[in-house]
């Protein structure tokens, strides 16, 4: 529901609607009379929280330049992990789940500042321009320019030149992917990879349960912090596809090791492999969601990313199945997701590379993302050539002079050699 609001009514309106739903439901959870009512309210409350996260995630991404998208996203991930690390301490201080729920609902009131102050959470000009809402786009750009102390003079001739007259706004849904050739494939691959990364994490978490107490929780949170740090270091250097492929292979390798050698390994080695697998699986989930936000066009980014995050939640829901089925269910779950990892590794090779590229806004731009070689880089000609009848920026007259003289010498030598051969034939 919230992803539909996000792509149809905008990032800011999606955030406001999710916040309006989450605040009263968070308070209502503290006074729920029974189990069934608690579950119903909890489901809607969780959906509203997911809508808040999705709106923030997309708006933050669309306001960043290409070189800073990864860093800003990882900073947001560190705040998320900070909340996970603080949660046990807050739970100890509250001592009752109703008090804890009330504290969480009270923390949501801090987000009302984004609602009251438009400058703190503006609407995405990229989305407004992609959906042909030119007047609102101009208003948001004027707001940005005034906040930065820049006088644009309200000159938006370039924006007006994109469409003639007064175009009607055009909205898209996730069903628009049916007519595409590459976008739906990229979304399917990344959604499948996100589902695998989330679903296989309980396999590593189960081995950490032997430590008891709160140690497994902090080990997983620490592995998530290390995963964020490793993504910050590697992704901008090696690219999205290569790093995602590396962490997916590492996740499958750790899963297969635990699946085949658990009874032969020492406890310390099994725990170390489980922590490494938890790290790599969390990196797979974070990078898959970020990768999908760069591959999906702006016009369907809200709905597409919402469905991919839904697949991530579906993978997390597999942990209760393991607990209910006990050991037999755990083994089958482990085998299935390890096999899925191998299939995911093969499909990731089909993805395009989006490192330092502008976000696609339309379906046509999303279709234009191509798959480059994984290791080989595109080579350029050693000699600068002319482009469209005009010399390029790296044009060097000396190089052309040497090229011309060398070509003349080669032609003369070939012609001389041909005349000598003809004379010998006549003789």
């Amino acid at each position: 529901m919230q992803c539909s609001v996000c792509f149809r009514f905008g990032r800011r309106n999606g955030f406001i609607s999710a916040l309006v739903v989450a605040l009263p439901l968070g308070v209502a959870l503290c006074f729920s009379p029974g189990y069934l009512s608690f579950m119903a309210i909890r489901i809607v409350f969780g959906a509203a929280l997911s809508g808040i996260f999705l709106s923030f995630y997309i708006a933050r991404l669309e306001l960043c330049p290409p070189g800073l998208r990864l860093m800003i996203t990882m900073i947001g991930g560190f705040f998320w992990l900070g909340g996970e690390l603080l949660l046990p301490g807050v739970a100890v201080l509250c001592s009752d789940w109703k008090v804890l729920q009330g504290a969480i609902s009270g923390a949501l009131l801090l987000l009302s500042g984004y609602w009251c102050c438009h400058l703190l959470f503006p609407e995405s000009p990229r989305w407004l321009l992609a959906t042909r809402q030119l007047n609102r786009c101009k208003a948001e750009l004027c707001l940005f320019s005034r906040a930065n102390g820049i006088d644009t003079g309200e000159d938006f001739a370039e924006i007006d030149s994109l469409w003639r007259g007064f175009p009607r706004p055009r909205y898209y849904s996730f069903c628009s992917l049916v007519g595409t050739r590459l976008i739906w494939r990229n979304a399917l691959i990344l959604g499948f990879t996100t589902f695998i990364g989330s679903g296989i994490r309980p396999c590593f978490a189960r081995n950490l349960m032997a430590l008891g107490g709160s140690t497994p929780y902090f080990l997983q949170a620490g592995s998530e912090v290390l995963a964020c740090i490793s993504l910050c270091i590697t992704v901008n250097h090696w690219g999205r596809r290569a790093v995602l492929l590396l962490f997916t292979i590492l996740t499958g390798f750790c899963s297969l090791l635990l699946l085949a050698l658990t009874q032969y390994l020492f406890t310390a080695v099994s725990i170390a492999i489980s922590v490494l697998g938890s790290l790599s699986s969390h990196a797979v989930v974070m990078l898959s969601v970020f990768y999908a936000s760069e591959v999906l066009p702006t016009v369907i980014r809200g709905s597409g990313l919402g469905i991919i995050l839904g697949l991530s939640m579906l993978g997390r829901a597999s942990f209760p199945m393991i607990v209910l089925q006990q050991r037999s269910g755990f083994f089958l779950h482990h085998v299935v997701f390890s096999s899925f990892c191998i299939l995911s590794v093969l499909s990731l090779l089909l993805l395009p590379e989006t490192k330092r590229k502008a976000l696609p806004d339309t379906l046509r731009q999303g279709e234009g993302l191509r798959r480059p070689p994984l290791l080989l880089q595109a080579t350029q000609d050693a000699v600068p050539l002319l482009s469209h009848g005009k010399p390029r920026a790296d044009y060097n007259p000396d190089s052309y002079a040497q090229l011309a003289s060398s070509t003349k010498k080669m032609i003369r030598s070939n012609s001389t050699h041909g005349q000598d051969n003809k004379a010998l034939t006549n003789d």
Side-chain angles (χ1 to χ4, degrees):
M1 178 184 68
Q2 291 299 330
C3 66
S4 301
V5 174
C6 191
F7 86 84
R8 178 61 177 80
F9 298 102
R11 292 33 173 152
R12 176 178 170 81
N13 291 331
F15 160 74
I16 293 174
S17 62
L19 184 63
V20 169
V21 173
L23 282 174
L25 290 180
V27 178
L29 280 174
C30 303
F31 305 98
S32 56
Y35 176 74
L36 294 179
S37 60
F38 175 83
M39 289 299 297
I41 296 173
R42 181 68 183 179
I43 290 173
V44 182
F45 179 69
L49 291 181
S50 300
I52 293 175
F53 172 80
L54 180 64
S55 302
F56 270 118
Y57 194 95
I58 298 178
R60 182 174 60 226
L61 188 83
E62 292 179 348
L63 292 175
C64 292
L68 297 178
R69 283 199 303 257
L70 176 68
M71 190 60 61
I72 297 299
T73 303
M74 290 300 109
I75 290 174
F78 282 123
F79 278 100
W80 177 279
L81 296 175
E84 287 189 358
L85 292 173
L86 289 175
L87 181 60
V90 176
V92 171
L93 293 175
C94 294
S95 70
D96 186 35
W97 71 268
K98 292 185 178 180
V99 180
L100 177 62
Q101 180 62 43
I104 295 174
S105 302
L108 290 176
L109 287 174
L110 299 176
L111 298 179
S112 59
Y114 291 96
W115 180 8
C116 300
C117 184
H118 187 87
L119 189 59
L120 291 177
F121 196 149
E123 186 55 83
S124 171
R126 181 183 294 273
W127 175 77
L128 293 173
L129 189 61
T131 54
R132 304 181 182 181
Q133 303 181 59
L134 301 187
N135 293 330
R136 291 183 60 189
C137 180
K138 295 175 184 178
E140 293 293 334
L141 292 177
C142 288
L143 180 67
F144 288 168
S145 62
R146 287 196 299 267
N148 292 307
I150 301 174
D151 184 15
T152 59
E154 297 186 357
D155 184 13
F156 300 103
E158 186 175 354
I159 296 178
D160 294 330
S161 63
L162 296 176
W163 290 283
R164 295 180 179 178
F166 299 95
R168 296 181 61 184
R170 183 178 180 183
Y171 304 101
Y172 297 81
S173 65
F174 193 75
C175 298
S176 303
L177 291 179
V178 176
T180 62
R181 197 165 48 89
L182 298 177
I183 301 176
W184 72 267
R185 185 197 68 186
N186 299 333
L188 179 63
I189 292 173
L190 291 171
F192 180 62
T193 308
T194 306
F195 172 74
I196 293 172
S198 298
I200 205 171
R201 293 196 70 195
C203 301
F204 302 119
R206 187 177 184 273
N207 291 331
L208 299 177
M209 295 299 178
L211 297 176
S214 59
T215 304
Y217 180 85
F218 287 104
L219 279 178
Q220 290 191 65
S223 65
E224 293 174 2
V225 173
L226 293 177
C228 289
I229 295 174
S230 60
L231 289 179
C232 292
I233 296 174
T234 58
V235 172
N236 271 339
H237 182 67
W238 290 334
R240 281 66 164 149
R241 185 176 57 161
V243 176
L244 182 57
L245 187 64
L246 173 64
F247 279 113
T248 307
I249 293 174
L250 185 60
T251 301
F253 180 71
C254 293
S255 178
L256 292 174
L257 278 180
L258 292 177
L259 188 63
L261 303 175
T262 299
Q263 56 183 347
Y264 304 106
L265 296 174
F266 294 106
T267 305
V269 178
S270 178
I271 291 174
I273 296 176
S274 299
V275 171
L276 181 60
S278 180
L279 184 153
S280 58
S281 60
H282 183 72
V284 167
V285 174
M286 289 193 67
L287 186 54
S288 297
V289 174
F290 174 71
Y291 204 169
S293 64
E294 291 188 324
V295 169
L296 292 172
T298 302
V299 292
I300 58 170
R301 185 171 293 122
S303 57
L305 201 59
I307 292 177
I308 290 176
L309 289 175
L311 291 175
S312 174
M313 299 300 174
L314 184 62
R316 291 185 182 183
S318 61
F319 184 69
M321 298 171 56
I322 297 177
V323 177
L324 291 175
Q325 298 296 327
Q326 297 181 357
R327 187 172 181 82
S328 59
F330 167 73
F331 181 79
L332 180 61
H333 180 92
H334 210 156
V335 170
V336 170
F337 276 89
S338 298
S339 305
F340 283 169
C341 272
I342 299 174
L343 181 60
S344 177
V345 167
L346 298 177
S347 59
L348 287 176
L349 297 173
L350 301 175
L351 293 175
E353 181 55 61
T354 57
K355 182 178 70 173
R356 297 188 181 90
K357 291 184 179 179
L359 292 175
D361 292 327
T362 61
L363 296 177
R364 188 173 186 179
Q365 292 177 1
E367 288 286 285
L369 296 175
R370 299 299 177 183
R371 175 176 58 88
L374 183 61
L375 297 177
L376 299 178
Q377 301 293 330
T379 57
Q380 295 181 351
D381 296 332
V383 180
L385 301 178
L386 293 176
S387 175
H388 302 290
K390 297 180 181 180
R392 288 171 40 174
D394 54 355
Y395 171 71
N396 188 357
D398 295 334
S399 300
Y400 280 96
Q402 294 176 4
L403 177 63
S405 60
S406 301
T407 305
K408 291 179 181 179
K409 290 180 180 179
M410 183 177 63
I411 294 174
R412 289 174 183 174
S413 62
N414 289 336
S415 61
T416 304
H417 182 68
Q419 291 176 359
D420 294 340
N421 290 336
K422 185 176 181 180
L424 290 174
T425 303
N426 293 333
D427 293 340

